[in-house]
Amino acid sequence: MKTTFSIKKNICGLAEVFLLLYVAENVIGSSGHLVSFGSVSLRMLLFAACFLLTSYFVFVRRRDLLKDQRIVLTVLFAIWLVFCTLLGIKFKNQTNFIWSDLSSFLGLALFPGFIVISESQRGIKKLIEVVFWAALVLSVVTIGIHLCIPIGGEKAICSINTFLNSKSLGGLALLNSGMHRVYMRSQIFIQVAIIYGVWLIYNRNGKSRIPVLICEGIMLFALLLTYTRGFWLGFLVSSILLLLLEFKNWNKLLAIAGIALCVMGVFVGISTWVYNSPCVLTEAVSRISPDLLVNHEVNNNVENAGTIGNEESTDLITDEATGNTNKENLPEVSINQSAEEMTMTDIANLSALEIRSKTLEGLKERISDHPIIGNGLGSNLTEIREDGRTEYMYLDILLKTGIIGLILFLLVFFRSPIMLLIKCLKGKNEISEDDKLCAEVLVSSYIGVAVTSIFNPFLNNPMGITLLMITSTGLILFKGSATK
């Protein structure tokens, strides 16, 4: 009997280790192709190991799980996805697009096992630590690339960009100042990790807080280097929400922010020295210009720009939505320029804005064809895009799965975080201050990613699903409330 218990305990421990490795790989590995063995990737192997190791415990807890509304809603959503797959086949959507849409949600198969193994206070806090330190590694790589580019020159740029593209990690884009934007899809976790870091700082005393504070500044600078406004907006929303939830400790939060900004300032200084210019800041200012909004002026300006340009200028950055090279995600510039004043990059940016405008129009038109059940998985705006996805995640889901699918998606991906937010607001006396802050950083960071996903799809893929599972597990912090 004692031997059987020991075996179960060891398997449970092993399952937890593999789940943590799976989370870490998602944070660093973007699309899951960072490490591959032929056609098999490390993420596939970790997924299979996690699924197999948790299966026994899922079977033992099956009655409890069948009463858990998180699992019930996930199963209903999975059934609807199968229906939409058949619908996509019926409408003769491209098979590779259908598989791409379906496989992006396969991570939900780990949800039951994730709940069973990780749903403990010890488990949730381990997950936060893993995300934080893995995101730090990603941030250091981002900053390293940024500082190495002016030293390595064109050869380094080509080598780095080729590697990032080949692994579906991201890519580089030449900005107007001559500096390169460093973009990787999994940098979405940097905005999450900075918020998680607040809890880590609160859980350390004295000098032990200093390394974490420095790490916060490092990640803040890495977030700047992405030059992705969606990331910046999501992080801002998370920060404001956390400040509101922890308003009684606003002075501590502002102190953390101040120190992180000082550390970030040091790296800005280093960058300015390496590049002989404060371009890292001037590019940030240009990225938040109100002139960058998509409006009716775009089409006229693009027409005025004519066909001047070079196709190579539109092929410098990996698509934030799909990980494929796409001109859509080049850094934009002001649309109030004459054709004579425009650089090649400016013209490419106007073209990108035109594509976004046409994408929105195309989505509205196609959604109206089958608003209730959708057009099936694999639906694509063929005349506009070639990747089977659009950067407008919620509209993309509505296009493919209809109103029914969108409602189920929202229930699966937002019921638990909203419940967690409500409990943070109401459960002041139910749990300790430490656990309450833990829950607050979980929900604040998740809502920030949800905001980012308005413009770039990050929730409907393994990275977003991983974040959903981590956030949902936070419900255990409130006594016995996880399945109510």
Side-chain angles (χ1 to χ4, degrees), residues 324-337:
N324 298 320
T325 302
N326 194 303
K327 63 185 176 182
E328 262 185 285
N329 291 287
L330 286 164
E332 298 87 346
V333 294
S334 173
I335 60 175
N336 298 316
Q337 293 173 278

Side-chain angles (χ1 to χ4, degrees), residues 1 57 69 185 230 243 251 282:
M1 193 73 177
F57 302 97
Q69 291 186 26
R185 295 185 70 209
L243 181 60
N251 54 335
T282 57

Side-chain angles (χ1 to χ4, degrees), residues 370-478:
H370 302 282
I372 306 300
I373 62 174
N375 294 276
L377 298 188
S379 298
N380 184 46
L381 303 179
T382 308
E383 64 282 3
I384 303 171
R385 303 180 61 97
E386 299 178 355
D387 53 12
R389 297 279 182 90
T390 70
E391 66 268 43
Y392 302 102
M393 186 192 75
Y394 301 103
L395 291 176
D396 192 67
I397 292 172
L398 182 59
L399 166 71
K400 295 169 181 177
T401 66
I403 294 175
I404 296 175
L406 180 61
I407 290 173
L408 287 171
F409 172 85
L410 294 175
L411 287 172
V412 170
F413 282 79
F414 288 96
R415 180 184 175 276
S416 294
I418 289 174
M419 283 181 64
L420 189 58
L421 177 60
I422 292 171
K423 289 180 182 299
C424 286
L425 295 171
K426 289 184 176 181
K428 295 180 179 179
N429 299 319
E430 288 184 32
I431 58 175
S432 67
E433 284 296 316
D434 176 64
D435 286 349
K436 181 174 175 291
L437 178 61
C438 182
E440 288 169 349
V441 299
L442 287 170
V443 71
S444 296
S445 57
Y446 187 87
I447 290 176
V449 174
V451 171
T452 299
S453 295
I454 294 173
F455 311 102
N456 296 290
F458 284 104
L459 285 182
N460 61 337
N461 60 48
M463 292 184 293
I465 291 170
T466 296
L467 190 60
L468 167 67
M469 294 189 293
I470 293 172
T471 306
S472 298
T473 302
L475 283 168
I476 198 64
L477 294 167
F478 295 87

Side-chain angles (χ1 to χ4, degrees), residues 239-259:
S239 300
I240 292 173
L241 179 56
L242 182 60
L243 181 60
L244 292 174
L245 291 172
E246 275 290 302
F247 192 72
K248 66 178 182 179
N249 293 316
W250 65 270
N251 54 335
K252 292 182 180 179
L253 293 176
L254 291 182
I256 292 171
I259 296 171

